[in-house]
Amino acid sequence: MAKKSNGNKSETVTENIFRDFYGSSTFIEKSAIPNEFGFQSKKQSTFKGYPDFLLEEEDYIIVVEAKATEQANAISEVQHYMSKNKITKDIIGIAVSGQKLEDLKVDYFLKINESETCEHILQDSKLLTLKNIYNVYWKNRYGESVTNENLLKTLNELNKTFNENNKVKDTERSLFFSGLMIALKDNTFRSIYRNIQAPSKQEISTVKETVLEAYNLNNAILDAITRQLADKINNLSKSYSWKDRFSFIKNIDYSLLEYKKIISKIEMNIFKPFQNDEKQDILGKAYKIFLKRAGKIDNKNIILTPDHIKSLMVELARLNVNDVVLDTCTGTGGFLMEAMEVLIKKANNDEEKIKEIKEHQLIGFEVDSVLFALACSNMFLHGDGRTNLLFRSSLLDDKNENIINNDDKVLFQYISSLEPTKCIINPPYETNNSIKFTLQALKYLEPNGKLIIIMPTPTLTQNQSGLTQDVLKIAKLDFVIKMPYNLFSEQKRTVNTSIFGFTKTPHNENDEVLFYNLEEDGLVSIQHKGRVDKFNKWEGIRDTIIDSIFNSKEINGISEKKKIYKDGILNCAGVQNSRNSKSIMIKIDDLFDIEDGTLASDNSEDGEFDFITGAEEWKKHSEYTHEKEALVYVVSAGGSLGRSHYVNGKFVASNLCLILTPKNSTEYPINLQFYNTYFNNNRKKFVSDLADGVAKLTIGKTMFKQHYIDYIPIDKQNKFVENHIQKYKQKLEELKKLVKQSEENITESMNKLI
């Protein structure tokens, strides 16, 4: 029978477009559709009928109706065939019309088995790849991917199971979990694991060692991992054996029944839902949970970026579809996966472009063998070939590596050939490594490329006489976003960090930097859940950050543009625009002699001399070390950090403090009462600019000495003390007398009543 046509427009043209898109042999066509599907005719229920195309998949059947131009008719007929049949699976219906691929009208429907309803799941769409059809099906059939709460619940349950009788060592749990996820990616393993049996007597007789009941299942897991990950190491990486990395699985000793329950739980609660949400850094979450619950995360020099900050940093990079993204300290791969998700979305279902993104636009380095395995596993689970993940240091001339071929020059040429345009990293914080990673990342980037890095806030300040100058010679500092101190609290870390944004073009002294103070991110700590956005504040906070950064917008009390040079002097903490033009910036070390306090804070004892610690109230001691006018500045005492004490007399200071005395310079005379007020008034900013450490915040003596502060002319210092501080002290004394008199009145009145 001839195909219907509308003038020069024909159903045959539409069908040919459909065939060309999916391949001529992918779908069964009307004439070949088996009778067993039981489709009924559109005209009479006693007659057989057939849709234009059909494809049977594992979980559902796709039926298709094509029309020349009448989309309403295509919709009506596909819904008919979805309803009138003997199919016992879910059914996806596709209604398509049009005469050119770019002009096609396509609607998608879903009828769940045993349901009478055909749900309209995509309207005014286009032809999707079979993979994307599966994703749309899964999301509409089973809801959104695994929620973060359910994921954490399952991971915590697994951690408890692994911990019982120490079946899986705490340091191997994240790898074990990733190994099972990879094995489930293997079609052969996924189809056979439930039927794997214990070794037979005949099999046992062929080996000498003691054989576990899970012997065959362990080997099946290792074989699946090896099949999936074979030949997946970049040739510039150091040698890496997947079989050796996962060899501990041979000794996993669960009963087959319990083992299969564990694997099934992962498959149903995580693996299958995960297939529809390739954005989640599941192995990163698992790594954090397995180590934290085991109490071992403190043994690692690793601080994992929280998800909401990871997403923010990727957004700050302003990715476009052609960007090549580099992470020089990849960890579990979170930044690269987040970036891959953004790039794929921008590819707008262009399969060729998506393939190019996965194979050529993602580059990562990692030196920790466990984290490298997790990063590779993560990228593999997200469908990436991982050809540009390297198991080696990204730092050229790294003294910890002794590579004799594929040297630094070869490595740099290779990375340069990939032309990275964006770099997003969270580098190691210890031993001042952050600045080294900053400089190296910028060298890898193409001109005008962008670096987004989270690192200790004082990093640029403490290196501003050396490596920071090198950084600013090749890169402009665009912005600094100060992070909350409790950002890493669920990892039991208190770290003073900021996100820094750079563009690879030299920083000029007149360039302004936008400083943004994110005191609170809206997340709260909840037992067993970590820090969560319970009150849904983060989205609004993030939008404000993005608006301020992208539009260079100042917000009163939150963000401010500052220069980092004044009179040729670099001050990476930023020069206040409101500073008195007559004041000059000078190093603390040029104004004060600085020495360490000596006495432990818990060594107070009865005595007549003041013992000054971090606390606001002074203690007493029987001996003193100084008899002079001085400032005692707290540099290592938690909640007292940055407090300044003015003292004039005999005293001893805690070893958590520095003692500041004037250099008696005729050029820069000092009124210590003024500078005591200056330090206390700017305490919050000083702590923000200078506090460092990954377990306990401290202010380093060297960095404190090199920090720039205002020098105010001595006559103004003295006038300030006379007009404000002396009057304050006078009022304070009057208040103390009033309090004492009130206390005496209360005592006297009470005595009269008794």
Side-chain angles (χ1 to χ4, degrees):
M1 185 173 70
K3 294 290 182 183
K4 293 180 182 179
S5 62
N6 182 4
N8 293 326
K9 297 177 180 178
S10 166
E11 283 184 18
T12 301
V13 173
T14 312
E15 291 175 358
N16 284 337
I17 294 172
F18 188 87
R19 289 188 191 96
D20 290 343
F21 186 87
Y22 291 105
S24 59
S25 60
T26 302
F27 282 78
I28 301 173
E29 302 203 17
K30 179 178 289 189
S31 59
I33 294 175
N35 292 335
E36 64 193 57
F37 290 110
F39 292 110
Q40 295 179 13
S41 168
K42 296 189 290 289
K43 296 181 179 179
Q44 298 183 42
S45 61
T46 56
F47 289 89
K48 295 175 183 177
Y50 302 93
D52 290 330
F53 299 93
L54 179 143
L55 176 64
E56 183 170 13
E57 299 280 37
E58 182 179 350
D59 298 305
Y60 51 82
I61 286 176
I62 302 174
V63 296
V64 183
E65 272 295 308
K67 297 296 178 187
T69 57
E70 306 86 0
Q71 182 66 4
N73 290 345
I75 289 173
S76 174
E77 292 188 16
V78 81
Q79 288 180 325
H80 167 82
Y81 286 120
M82 292 173 72
S83 301
K84 305 298 182 180
N85 58 69
K86 296 180 180 179
I87 296 171
T88 57
K89 287 185 176 182
D90 294 343
I91 302 174
I92 292 175
I94 305 176
V96 56
S97 65
Q99 301 292 284
K100 294 181 179 180
L101 178 61
E102 60 270 21
D103 297 329
L104 286 186
K105 294 180 179 179
V106 187
D107 287 81
Y108 293 82
F109 300 86
L110 172 63
K111 178 181 175 292
I112 296 172
N113 186 32
E114 298 180 353
S115 169
E116 300 296 326
T117 305
C118 294
E119 181 185 355
H120 209 160
I121 56 176
L122 277 180
Q123 295 177 279
D124 298 326
S125 185
K126 60 183 180 180
L127 293 179
L128 301 178
T129 64
L130 294 178
K131 179 182 178 182
N132 284 339
I133 289 174
Y134 173 81
N135 290 342
V136 171
Y137 161 76
W138 192 274
K139 184 175 292 187
N140 284 275
R141 178 66 169 88
Y142 298 104
E144 293 291 336
S145 178
V146 58
T147 65
N148 189 60
E149 186 172 351
N150 287 338
L151 172 62
L152 295 179
K153 180 175 181 288
T154 301
L155 289 173
N156 278 303
E157 289 173 354
L158 287 169
N159 190 53
K160 184 177 179 181
T161 301
F162 296 161
N163 189 55
E164 288 175 358
N165 300 315
N166 201 28
K167 288 282 189 177
V168 186
K169 291 181 181 178
D170 45 43
T171 53
E172 294 173 343
R173 289 173 197 170
S174 52
L175 276 179
F176 181 50
F177 173 73
S178 73
L180 294 179
M181 288 282 284
I182 294 167
L184 286 167
K185 194 84 170 177
D186 187 81
N187 292 335
T188 300
F189 176 82
R190 198 169 63 250
S191 63
I192 67 168
Y193 82 83
R194 288 184 177 86
N195 298 318
I196 292 176
Q197 301 298 313
S200 64
K201 290 183 179 179
Q202 184 177 0
E203 289 174 309
I204 295 173
S205 66
T206 62
V207 294
K208 295 181 180 179
E209 69 269 14
T210 302
V211 178
L212 299 174
E213 183 182 345
Y215 178 85
N216 289 335
L217 183 51
N218 284 337
N219 283 333
I221 293 168
L222 282 170
D223 289 343
I225 293 171
T226 303
R227 279 195 300 272
Q228 293 297 313
L229 299 182
D231 303 322
K232 295 296 183 180
I233 293 292
N234 186 290
N235 61 9
L236 290 181
S237 290
K238 294 183 290 187
S239 177
Y240 199 89
S241 168
W242 293 111
K243 201 158 192 176
D244 290 347
R245 181 69 270 176
F246 287 96
S247 62
F248 68 90
I249 290 178
K250 287 183 178 181
N251 298 315
I252 298 297
D253 183 13
Y254 284 109
S255 69
L256 275 175
L257 179 62
E258 186 175 9
Y259 212 156
K260 291 175 183 179
K261 283 183 178 178
I262 291 171
I263 298 173
S264 179
K265 184 174 188 175
I266 292 172
E267 180 180 18
M268 300 311 296
N269 292 0
I270 298 179
F271 178 79
K272 281 195 171 182
F274 166 78
Q275 302 306 300
N276 198 44
D277 188 354
E278 298 190 338
K279 186 176 179 180
Q280 286 218 54
D281 178 10
I282 286 183
L283 299 188
K285 292 178 189 293
Y287 177 81
K288 185 164 61 176
I289 284 174
F290 294 149
L291 283 183
K292 183 174 69 173
R293 296 291 181 261
K296 296 291 183 181
I297 201 162
D298 286 336
N299 295 340
K300 283 287 191 182
N301 227 333
I302 294 161
I303 299 179
L304 301 174
T305 315
D307 289 345
H308 65 302
I309 300 301
K310 178 177 62 183
S311 298
L312 172 65
M313 291 175 66
V314 172
E315 191 169 0
L316 288 167
R318 304 186 82 161
L319 300 181
N320 67 66
V321 71
N322 294 314
D323 272 324
V324 176
V325 182
L326 169 68
D327 185 346
T328 55
C329 15
T330 301
T332 60
F335 284 131
L336 290 180
M337 283 184 295
E338 185 84 20
M340 180 169 68
E341 177 75 11
V342 172
L343 295 176
I344 288 174
K345 187 174 182 180
K346 290 181 178 293
N348 199 25
N349 294 313
D350 182 337
E351 291 296 325
E352 285 299 314
K353 184 58 182 175
I354 291 171
K355 182 180 179 182
E356 182 182 350
I357 288 167
K358 291 182 175 181
E359 293 184 357
H360 301 295
Q361 291 179 227
L362 302 163
I363 314 164
F365 287 86
E366 182 50 55
V367 295
D368 184 284
S369 62
V370 172
L371 291 178
F372 179 74
L374 291 176
C376 288
S377 302
N378 245 338
M379 299 301 283
F380 169 76
L381 291 170
H382 289 77
D384 174 41
R386 298 184 318 294
T387 52
N388 294 317
L389 286 184
L390 291 90
F391 177 54
R392 65 184 291 176
S393 174
S394 64
L395 297 177
L396 302 186
D397 195 29
D398 191 327
K399 303 302 182 184
N400 294 314
E401 292 188 326
N402 299 285
I403 296 172
I404 59 174
N405 67 336
N406 294 326
D407 59 14
D408 288 348
K409 182 179 179 181
V410 174
L411 176 64
F412 187 79
Q413 288 174 342
Y414 172 70
I415 299 300
S416 297
S417 72
L418 299 174
E419 300 180 344
T421 54
K422 303 288 171 65
C423 182
I424 312 166
I425 55 175
N426 179 3
Y429 296 167
E430 79 283 359
T431 62
N432 199 29
N433 267 328
S434 297
I435 191 67
K436 300 173 188 175
F437 279 93
T438 302
L439 184 57
Q440 185 64 68
L442 287 165
K443 289 180 178 178
Y444 283 130
L445 284 174
E446 292 288 285
N448 293 308
K450 290 192 178 295
L451 167 64
I452 309 296
I453 177 172
I454 182 169
M455 58 184 178
T457 301
T459 299
L460 298 183
T461 302
Q462 70 186 38
N463 293 283
Q464 61 190 25
S465 59
L467 291 176
T468 297
Q469 300 263 24
D470 295 337
V471 166
L472 296 174
K473 286 177 184 176
I474 62 173
K476 177 182 179 294
L477 178 60
D478 298 313
F479 61 82
V480 179
I481 307 174
K482 175 70 173 62
M483 294 286 103
Y485 290 119
N486 61 351
L487 186 65
F488 303 102
S489 60
E490 65 177 314
Q491 298 176 54
K492 297 187 172 79
R493 306 293 179 90
T494 300
V495 194
N496 178 17
T497 55
S498 293
I499 297 172
F500 296 79
F502 294 91
T503 300
K504 190 172 179 181
T505 186
H507 191 105
N508 295 318
E509 290 194 8
N510 286 326
D511 287 336
E512 290 187 318
V513 180
L514 186 68
F515 286 82
Y516 192 106
N517 186 16
L518 180 64
E519 288 194 4
E520 294 293 339
D521 58 4
L523 276 65
V524 295
S525 295
I526 297 179
Q527 191 173 13
H528 305 310
K529 293 183 180 180
R531 298 186 74 243
V532 298
D533 189 17
K534 181 179 179 181
F535 302 108
N536 299 314
K537 292 182 178 181
W538 171 245
E539 184 175 355
I541 292 171
R542 182 202 64 213
D543 290 346
T544 302
I545 295 170
I546 293 298
D547 180 45
S548 179
I549 298 299
F550 286 180
N551 297 303
S552 195
K553 184 183 294 184
E554 293 183 294
I555 304 172
N556 188 33
I558 296 177
S559 61
E560 180 183 1
K561 295 177 189 175
K562 306 178 192 175
K563 294 178 181 179
I564 57 174
Y565 284 92
K566 182 177 180 181
D567 301 327
I569 296 174
L570 175 61
N571 180 7
C572 291
V575 179
Q576 297 285 356
N577 291 327
S578 59
R579 289 193 188 281
N580 188 323
S581 61
K582 294 182 180 178
S583 69
I584 63 172
M585 301 299 294
I586 189 167
K587 290 181 182 178
I588 293 175
D589 193 35
D590 291 333
L591 291 179
F592 297 96
D593 287 320
I594 301 172
E595 57 184 305
D596 297 315
T598 55
L599 194 62
S601 293
D602 56 0
N603 280 349
S604 62
E605 58 187 35
D606 291 338
E608 58 180 305
F609 305 113
D610 291 321
F611 176 26
I612 305 172
T613 66
E616 189 171 0
E617 296 293 328
W618 296 358
K619 299 179 181 180
K620 290 293 183 179
H621 201 270
S622 57
E623 296 179 350
Y624 67 93
T625 56
H626 294 75
E627 183 178 5
K628 60 174 65 176
E629 185 185 25
L631 300 183
V632 177
Y633 189 82
V634 184
V635 292
S636 183
S640 299
L641 197 64
R643 174 177 286 141
S644 179
H645 300 275
Y646 169 78
V647 59
N648 190 359
K650 297 175 180 178
F651 69 94
V652 59
S654 162
N655 57 9
L656 303 178
C657 304
L658 298 176
I659 302 169
L660 282 60
T661 53
K663 280 189 177 293
N664 293 323
S665 168
T666 55
E667 186 176 2
Y668 301 119
I670 291 293
N671 185 316
L672 284 175
Q673 292 187 69
F674 172 83
Y675 273 96
N676 182 61
T677 304
Y678 176 91
F679 282 127
N680 283 324
N681 195 54
N682 290 281
R683 176 181 170 187
K684 191 174 183 179
K685 184 180 184 306
F686 271 61
V687 172
S688 175
D689 291 344
L690 301 175
D692 199 5
V694 295
K696 176 186 176 183
L697 291 180
T698 61
I699 295 175
K701 181 179 178 181
T702 300
M703 188 159 39
F704 179 75
K705 290 168 69 174
Q706 297 300 309
H707 194 59
Y708 285 91
I709 62 173
D710 296 281
Y711 177 74
I712 306 298
I714 188 61
D715 58 328
K716 292 188 176 182
Q717 294 182 47
N718 293 336
K719 189 173 182 179
F720 182 91
V721 171
E722 180 182 348
N723 291 343
H724 299 287
I725 299 176
Q726 296 299 344
K727 289 181 179 179
Y728 169 77
K729 288 183 176 180
Q730 181 181 342
K731 294 294 183 184
L732 189 60
E733 288 301 320
E734 292 174 2
L735 179 61
K736 288 179 180 178
K737 289 179 181 179
L738 286 173
V739 170
K740 184 177 181 181
Q741 183 61 53
S742 296
E743 289 174 346
E744 290 174 352
N745 290 341
I746 290 171
T747 301
E748 183 179 349
S749 298
M750 179 64 71
N751 290 336
K752 288 179 180 179
L753 288 173
I754 298 175

